[in-house]
Amino acid sequence: MQTFIASVVVFGLLIFFHELGHFLVAKRVGILVHEFSLGFGPKIFGIHRGETIYNLRLLPLGGFVRMAGMDPNEEEKDIPVEKTFNHKTALQRAAVIIAGPLMNFVLAAVLFGLVIMMQGIPVASTKVGEVISGYPAQQAGMQAGDKIVAVNDKPVQDWNELVGEVNKYQGEPVKLNVLRDTQELQLTVTTMKDQSGRYMIGIRADEKETFIKKMNPLAAMAEGTVYTGKVTGFILVYIGQMITGGGEVDLGGPVRVVSEISKAAAFGSFQVMQLAAFLSINLGLFNLFPIPALDGSRVLFLLWEKISGRPVEPSRESFIHLVGFGLLLLLMVVITYNDVVSIMFDK
């Protein structure tokens, strides 16, 4: 039951934020939205507000926003043409499509931020673990075990703050207040540029000296946004390695996701939130890929329309998306089979 509830919540969050992105931007540019649905299949219940019906459907593995004029084969009676999807500019339609994946990155940043705010993150103290030979810190007499408490009389609490303060003084002398045993010293160090172009003084943190740091909501959300960017970068690098053969191909479907959610739920809500953030980033990235039937391919068609000045024939575009959707379903069947076999074998 715990796994079921956690899975429904995680899938629901990912789908809701994705579709909410499409919905909000569609409303913003003046498109009439017929239906906002979470899930597929039979309707459990629905609410009619204004011009939109909000439905909750039985199968929590997707969702959709049905907009006026998005299906070229659907007749839109008694609806002003200016409120239909295809009447909007290519840029406006692209914004509606891209907004879904982008909201998944927003969700990830919020979830990471909440975890950082409530649980905190491990950070290194300002204790020096190593003084690099030939750098200014060694020349100034700094030693391993020294603890830096202030930079130019500004107190620093952790290693990130220390690095941030030192980096403000590029090529300039910096006064460091240092605790050595019970004695406080003042050392003056001039930062120097290394081969990568960064200014540094030549010290490394003591990795054994860490503590949990909690942040206020604003700082936590900022840190969550930065962390989302880092995770996105790591995923893109890994995908690049898989494509070029430099990394092992590792794909997972809904069965694998539920299995991972079950493992995370056993460790608590913070682990589930972190996993949900990671999955949200993956969902956002996957939808931006130029694969037929995904948001990324629809943006490509709109880009072609913008460049050529004329849209792709609707029937041709629909056929391409249909073929792409079929191939994605086939891929999902293969991945699901592999996931089931892998989970059974692991057990």
Side-chain angles (χ1 to χ4, degrees), residues 18-93:
H18 184 93
E19 299 304 333
L20 182 64
H22 294 314
F23 175 79
L24 291 177
V25 178
K27 287 283 193 179
R28 181 68 180 84
V29 300
I31 298 173
L32 187 149
V33 178
H34 291 303
E35 181 180 352
F36 182 108
S37 280
L38 286 181
F40 294 128
K43 181 175 70 174
I44 298 176
F45 69 87
I47 301 174
H48 199 161
R49 289 288 184 271
E51 60 190 15
T52 306
I53 300 174
Y54 302 88
N55 289 329
L56 180 64
R57 297 181 179 273
L58 183 62
L59 302 176
L61 294 176
F64 61 90
V65 174
R66 187 164 63 88
M67 294 171 261
M70 197 165 189
D71 185 352
N73 299 318
E74 183 180 2
E75 292 187 11
E76 299 285 358
K77 297 180 180 179
D78 303 324
I79 296 176
V81 66
E82 65 272 10
K83 298 193 72 174
T84 61
F85 178 83
N86 285 324
H87 180 77
K88 300 301 178 181
T89 67
L91 184 61
Q92 288 174 322
R93 282 176 282 159

Side-chain angles (χ1 to χ4, degrees), residues 171-192:
E172 302 175 15
V174 179
K175 184 179 68 175
L176 303 177
N177 289 55
V178 177
L179 281 179
R180 181 175 297 167
D181 297 325
T182 58
Q183 183 182 11
E184 183 168 340
L185 308 173
Q186 283 192 348
L187 304 177
T188 300
V189 183
T190 301
T191 59
M192 65 176 288

Side-chain angles (χ1 to χ4, degrees), residues 23-340:
F23 175 79
L24 291 177
V25 178
K27 287 283 193 179
R28 181 68 180 84
V29 300
I31 298 173
L32 187 149
V33 178
H34 291 303
E35 181 180 352
F36 182 108
S37 280
L38 286 181
F40 294 128
K43 181 175 70 174
I44 298 176
F45 69 87
I47 301 174
H48 199 161
R49 289 288 184 271
E51 60 190 15
T52 306
I53 300 174
Y54 302 88
N55 289 329
L56 180 64
R57 297 181 179 273
L58 183 62
L59 302 176
L61 294 176
F64 61 90
V65 174
R66 187 164 63 88
M67 294 171 261
M70 197 165 189
D71 185 352
N73 299 318
E74 183 180 2
E75 292 187 11
E76 299 285 358
K77 297 180 180 179
D78 303 324
I79 296 176
V81 66
E82 65 272 10
K83 298 193 72 174
T84 61
F85 178 83
N86 285 324
H87 180 77
K88 300 301 178 181
T89 67
L91 184 61
Q92 288 174 322
R93 282 176 282 159
V96 172
I97 293 169
I98 293 175
L102 290 184
M103 280 296 284
N104 284 120
F105 293 102
V106 172
L107 172 61
V110 170
L111 289 174
F112 281 137
L114 288 173
V115 172
I116 292 170
M117 182 179 66
M118 294 185 290
Q119 189 181 43
I121 55 174
V123 294
S125 73
T126 58
K127 186 177 181 180
V128 178
E130 180 186 356
V131 179
I132 304 174
S133 177
Y135 276 81
Q138 184 193 46
Q139 297 166 4
M142 189 169 290
Q143 300 176 9
D146 288 349
K147 185 173 183 178
I148 302 171
V149 295
V151 178
N152 282 348
D153 296 323
K154 182 175 181 180
V156 287
Q157 304 296 325
D158 59 68
W159 196 263
N160 291 333
E161 288 184 12
L162 169 62
V163 172
E165 285 301 313
V166 169
N167 284 340
K168 292 179 181 178
Y169 306 97
Q170 300 184 356
E172 302 175 15
V174 179
K175 184 179 68 175
L176 303 177
N177 289 55
V178 177
L179 281 179
R180 181 175 297 167
D181 297 325
T182 58
Q183 183 182 11
E184 183 168 340
L185 308 173
Q186 283 192 348
L187 304 177
T188 300
V189 183
T190 301
T191 59
M192 65 176 288
K193 186 187 293 187
D194 67 359
Q195 294 179 348
S196 65
R198 296 178 304 170
Y199 283 87
M200 51 196 305
I201 60 176
I203 55 176
R204 292 193 178 99
D206 186 342
E207 297 180 355
K208 298 178 182 178
E209 289 283 333
T210 61
F211 64 96
I212 298 299
K213 180 180 180 180
K214 292 187 178 181
M215 298 182 178
N216 63 56
L218 187 61
M221 291 304 161
E223 187 68 24
T225 302
V226 171
Y227 194 69
T228 298
K230 291 180 179 179
V231 172
T232 303
F234 293 148
I235 294 173
L236 287 173
V237 169
Y238 183 70
I239 292 173
Q241 291 174 342
M242 285 197 301
I243 293 173
T244 58
E248 182 182 353
V249 177
D250 186 17
L251 302 175
V255 173
R256 170 90 169 269
V257 170
V258 171
S259 175
E260 294 300 321
I261 291 174
S262 175
K263 295 175 185 177
F267 288 97
S269 57
F270 289 132
Q271 281 70 23
V272 174
M273 290 169 66
Q274 292 179 70
L275 177 60
F278 179 76
L279 293 173
S280 192
I281 293 172
N282 277 271
L283 178 61
L285 277 177
F286 182 66
N287 269 277
L288 288 175
F289 290 158
I291 300 173
L294 298 182
D295 293 332
S297 69
R298 297 182 188 278
V299 173
L300 274 185
F301 281 111
L302 291 173
L303 180 61
W304 168 258
E305 178 182 336
K306 186 69 176 177
I307 294 173
S308 65
R310 52 188 173 83
V312 177
E313 178 67 31
S315 59
R316 182 176 300 177
E317 181 179 346
S318 297
F319 176 74
I320 292 173
H321 288 314
L322 181 62
V323 171
F325 183 69
L327 292 175
L328 284 175
L329 283 180
L330 180 61
L331 177 63
M332 189 59 64
V333 169
V334 174
I335 291 174
T336 301
Y337 172 78
N338 289 336
D339 287 346
V340 172

